[in-house]
Amino acid sequence: MGSLAPGQHAWSEAHRPYPTTLPVRTYVWELPVRVSHWFIVLSIAVLSFTGYYMHNPFIVATSRTQFLMARIRFIHEIAAAVFISAFILRMYWFFVGNDWSSWRSFWPIHKRQWRGMGQMVAYYSFLKKDLVHHVGHNALAAVTYLLMFTFMLLEIITGLTLYTWVRGSWLLGWLFRWIPGVIDIQHLRLLHFCIMFTFFAFVIHHVYSAVLVSWEERNGLIESIFTGYKFVPRHELEEDAKLPK
Amino acid sequence: MTWGVVQVFADQEPHIPGKDETMIPPNETFYGALQKKGVTRRRFLKFCTAMTATLALPPRYVAQVASALEKTKKPVLVWLQFQDCAGNSEAILRSSHPSVLEVVLDLLSWEYHEIIMAGAGHQAEAALQRVVKEEKGKYLAVVEGAIPLADDGVYCTVAGKTAISIAKEVCTNAAATIAAGACAWYGGLVAASPNPTGAVGISEAVPEAKVVNLGGCPQNPANTAAVLVHYLTFGELPALDQYNRPLFAYGRVIHDQCERRAHYDAGRYVQEWGDEGHRRGWCLYKMGCKGPQTTFNCPSVRFNDSTSWPVKAGHGCVGCGGYNFWETKSPFYERLPNVPGFGADVSAGKIGIGITAAVAGATVVHGIASAVRDRMRTTPPPEKI
Ligand code: HEM
Ligand code: SF4
């Protein structure tokens, strides 16, 4: 907050130990995590715009030769390929990445993660004044990401099913052609369309909470998704290293 | 004995000589029967060509189709009607296409069809009984309409018997059963929610029957004829998809065969009935056309003698060839189905935008509250830095 005098800061009593150990520049997000993150962001932006146009072509072309819809669909399909690739890269990194990007950090398998979720909910709902610090994801964020990964997977499955409805290879056909027999193609489209809005809602919340937490923790959280480094006080880092993974 | 079916139609075809020769013995060859009716070889081959094309076979099959039909003995056919609007019968009867009309009527010895048979009452029912007994395993059955199962099937009875008991008797003894139209396939409109009569299609009502489903509301008579021609030419039913629909008719998406497709790709859409785009024949996507979701061969085979089909006539496709289309393809004038649990006039887009806006609003409020909380924090003494 800009109203603080020089030399002052807004950390509360709970943050007391913070300045007592110096922040360590820590490599948290490895390159594949950052790369997949940004490709997913970009491709979702493109997919949402082109997808919305395919749902409701709000621009009606006057030209006979510009093939507006055909091109938009083409871009959707290319962006989908990028999206799927980035998604697969991230899934792969679940298994070979560091502790903070491992699949284990997403599933609430430890009691402390459930406790952590409770603490985050209490913080967000103003029942608790201070944020508990985490080196990687906090437990609440982690399950939200898990949910979003599920939605992404669903979006990929419905998208590829819509794609095989009109085109596609033997492999895609073999994988997805049975689906419209179970859920009819119109409701698959509805699902594909509705999931898009969960991304919108998520992005709003995600950007907001990143800014908020970055501000509260003063740890370079926002920068970390570009550079990979967070500034974590040594004692927090040591505590994190002691946690059973 | 042919119940004067052919007579009815011969009367409408004054240009065919020898129209008074209406009694065609059932065991006569089909081509012989056509010749007696004065159908020239040229018209016969034209028909064979049309059927070969409908079956999506290469042209070299025309000769095979023709020679098979020349030799084939007329099989017996019975046409049953249950919970229906007679639209499929009408579709066949409306086809003034000389070839389809003559062939569908003359290719087969029609022994029973409630709408067009001359006989009535006990006489008509006796004919059906005779076919089931004497032609057992050899005749073809066409079923039109749904079969109600609720309350022991009392909601549809013919000659004092329930539809289900008639269907069981007739379809299990038939060589094959053709389910003509949406209702016979899976219950159609009759089975649409809430389905008070417990209506089902023929495959569900009589699982033992060998069924070809010809979806559509109505089915396309050209496809019905083509299935029969395939059966007579090759001695077996055409290749079927997972719904037992012939692949030649239901194997391709309408949208990929549509004459308005270039407008779709160009982004030129009808926005309102009767607007400039509508007058110029642009794509009906924004008017809820379900062509992209439906597989059927309407754009190439068309209806009423290949005159037209809904999209050509300026109305979006409602997806009648698809499974359960009353439920899955409605609302007919909207892009997507309604979201379950929300009213009919709230679209998925409105719900989605609403939720997104709500999240954005909540975020702003939360942001303000968090800033306030931050201000209220006690500032630690400066020496702590
Ligand atoms: C974040 C990811 C995605 C978003 C937000 C998204 C959004 C959309 C939207 C809104 C539509 C229009 C649905 C409608 O008709 O109302 C659509 C259609 C479509 N999407 Fe996606 N999509 C995504 C990913 C994918 C992926 C991964 C594929 C895979 C190939 C895909 C393939 C398709 C296809 C083929 C259609 C066309 C449906 C048709 O008109 O035939 N999408 N998408
Ligand atoms: S009118 Fe319907 S089927 Fe034809 S191109 Fe447009 S959306 Fe496709």
Side-chain angles (χ1 to χ4, degrees):
Chain A
M1 295 274 121
S3 57
L4 294 175
Q8 275 190 324
H9 61 74
W11 295 326
S12 64
E13 293 297 307
H15 292 74
R16 256 311 144 69
Y18 196 158
T20 59
T21 63
L22 282 175
V24 182
R25 189 165 179 259
T26 315
Y27 194 45
V28 181
W29 310 129
E30 293 154 300
L31 188 66
V33 174
R34 285 173 283 143
V35 165
S36 61
H37 176 271
W38 287 113
F39 273 109
I40 287 175
V41 171
L42 265 178
S43 56
I44 286 187
V46 174
L47 285 163
S48 301
F49 178 78
T50 53
Y52 191 81
Y53 183 82
M54 281 146 76
H55 168 74
N56 172 23
F58 45 89
I59 307 164
V60 170
T62 46
S63 152
R64 235 175 305 161
T65 50
Q66 277 172 353
F67 300 110
L68 191 57
M69 178 59 101
R71 277 169 212 244
I72 294 269
R73 284 182 66 96
F74 180 68
I75 297 169
H76 194 82
E77 283 161 21
I78 297 297
V82 173
F83 178 65
I84 294 170
S85 311
F87 183 79
I88 291 174
L89 175 63
R90 188 62 188 85
M91 292 301 105
Y92 171 65
W93 217 251
F94 266 169
F95 300 100
V96 299
N98 64 18
D99 287 344
W100 300 299
S101 57
S102 158
W103 63 273
R104 284 188 204 85
S105 68
F106 289 88
W107 291 95
I109 44 178
H110 298 294
K111 234 199 185 128
R112 74 179 141 82
Q113 283 164 305
W114 289 99
R115 204 168 341 111
M117 260 186 264
Q119 288 165 342
M120 279 314 288
V121 171
Y123 168 75
Y124 278 128
S125 50
F126 302 102
L127 296 175
K128 200 167 164 302
K129 202 157 66 161
D130 295 302
L131 198 58
V132 179
H133 294 191
H134 297 266
V135 181
H137 301 303
N138 72 61
L140 186 65
V143 289
T144 315
Y145 301 152
L146 203 59
L147 191 69
M148 292 325 290
F149 282 129
T150 313
F151 280 141
M152 286 180 204
L153 186 64
L154 266 180
E155 195 73 342
I156 291 173
I157 292 171
T158 51
L160 287 173
T161 311
L162 289 171
Y163 183 73
T164 37
W165 183 252
V166 285
R167 232 167 284 118
S169 63
W170 61 268
L171 178 64
L172 287 181
W174 183 75
L175 284 172
F176 299 103
R177 200 148 287 156
W178 59 275
I179 295 178
V182 183
I183 305 175
D184 75 281
I185 199 79
Q186 268 297 80
H187 285 87
L188 282 172
R189 272 173 153 246
L190 181 64
L191 201 60
H192 193 75
F193 180 67
C194 290
I195 291 174
M196 176 172 76
F197 291 100
T198 67
F199 295 140
F200 293 176
F202 170 76
V203 166
I204 296 172
H205 168 75
H206 182 65
V207 172
Y208 166 71
S209 60
V211 170
L212 181 71
V213 172
S214 188
W215 164 257
E216 288 270 18
E217 295 192 12
R218 311 285 204 283
N219 61 355
L221 180 72
I222 297 283
E223 293 86 335
S224 73
I225 196 61
F226 296 95
T227 62
Y229 290 95
K230 276 192 188 178
F231 294 87
V232 189
R234 183 172 302 282
H235 75 279
E236 282 184 21
L237 207 56
E238 281 159 8
E239 276 162 30
D240 186 81
K242 274 186 260 156
L243 292 178
K245 298 292 172 198
Chain B
M1 160 165 44
T2 30
W3 294 121
V5 167
V6 176
Q7 190 171 25
V8 173
F9 290 94
D11 285 344
Q12 291 178 359
E13 298 263 64
H15 60 283
I16 300 178
K19 64 176 167 141
D20 31 29
E21 274 179 327
T22 53
M23 298 296 276
I24 299 165
N27 57 355
E28 193 174 352
T29 65
F30 164 62
Y31 184 53
L34 280 186
Q35 269 181 324
K36 275 203 189 138
K37 282 190 76 188
V39 174
T40 61
R41 177 136 191 100
R42 185 182 155 77
R43 284 180 67 200
F44 173 64
L45 287 178
K46 246 174 108 172
F47 166 76
C48 293
T49 311
M51 285 296 111
T52 310
T54 306
L55 284 168
L57 291 172
R60 65 193 150 85
Y61 277 91
V62 174
Q64 198 176 340
V65 169
S67 73
L69 292 188
E70 271 169 8
K71 287 189 223 106
T72 188
K73 294 268 190 294
K74 287 162 58 101
V76 171
L77 179 142
V78 292
W79 185 297
L80 305 176
Q81 285 179 280
F82 299 128
Q83 287 178 304
D84 70 329
C85 66
N88 293 284
S89 293
E90 294 292 341
I92 290 234
L93 304 184
R94 288 293 168 277
S95 64
S96 62
H97 206 292
S99 20
V100 172
L101 177 76
E102 280 154 18
V103 168
V104 180
L105 294 178
D106 287 357
L107 192 53
L108 306 141
S109 176
W110 289 39
E111 299 287 327
Y112 185 91
H113 188 159
E114 283 162 18
I115 287 190
I116 54 178
M117 64 192 170
H122 293 298
Q123 202 188 11
E125 296 310 315
L128 184 60
Q129 287 307 320
R130 188 192 67 74
V131 172
V132 172
K133 284 203 193 72
E134 290 174 18
E135 304 284 335
K136 191 172 156 89
K138 285 182 285 184
Y139 66 93
L140 294 166
V142 178
V143 176
E144 179 179 2
I147 297 172
L149 297 183
D151 302 321
D152 297 326
V154 295
Y155 299 111
C156 178
T157 59
V158 181
K161 287 198 253 173
T162 58
I164 175 71
S165 66
I166 300 173
K168 276 215 171 98
E169 189 184 2
V170 175
C171 299
T172 45
N173 288 313
T177 300
I178 294 176
C183 298
W185 172 16
Y186 55 83
L189 178 63
V190 196
S193 175
N195 191 4
T197 64
V200 297
I202 186 74
S203 309
E204 200 180 327
V206 190
E208 312 89 84
K210 191 172 164 191
V211 180
V212 180
N213 289 315
L214 292 174
C217 193
Q219 110 291 12
N220 195 317
N223 292 334
T224 315
V227 170
L228 296 173
V229 166
H230 192 285
Y231 180 72
L232 297 177
T233 306
F234 302 105
E236 58 182 49
L237 294 170
L240 304 176
D241 68 5
Q242 80 261 37
Y243 294 114
N244 288 335
R245 301 178 303 176
L247 276 170
F248 72 79
Y250 300 89
R252 285 176 69 204
V253 176
I254 287 182
H255 186 57
D256 287 355
Q257 316 161 61
C258 176
E259 60 258 40
R260 297 185 188 231
R261 177 56 184 267
H263 293 300
Y264 171 85
D265 284 337
R268 307 207 293 180
Y269 302 102
V270 176
Q271 313 238 59
E272 224 179 288
W273 300 117
D275 70 2
E276 178 66 14
H278 199 209
R279 286 199 294 278
R280 295 172 68 178
W282 288 2
C283 168
L284 296 155
Y285 187 76
K286 289 184 88 166
M287 307 309 285
C289 178
K290 302 297 184 298
Q293 283 84 50
T294 312
T295 60
F296 209 168
N297 60 355
C298 308
S300 52
V301 173
R302 299 179 184 160
F303 286 83
N304 299 335
D305 286 349
S306 288
T307 313
S308 192
W309 66 292
V311 167
K312 189 179 178 198
H315 187 284
C317 164
V318 299
C320 74
Y323 184 73
N324 225 351
F325 84 99
W326 292 101
E327 318 268 7
T328 60
K329 302 294 197 289
S330 63
F332 292 154
Y333 301 101
E334 301 290 340
R335 183 80 253 113
L336 293 175
N338 290 322
V339 182
F342 289 83
D345 30 305
V346 195
S347 68
K350 278 190 200 144
I351 296 170
I353 291 170
I355 289 174
T356 311
V359 170
T363 303
V364 170
V365 172
H366 198 276
I368 295 169
S370 295
V372 171
R373 159 160 72 187
D374 198 66
R375 289 252 172 164
M376 282 170 18
R377 284 198 172 122
T378 44
T379 309
E383 75 273 4
K384 284 291 174 192
I385 294 172

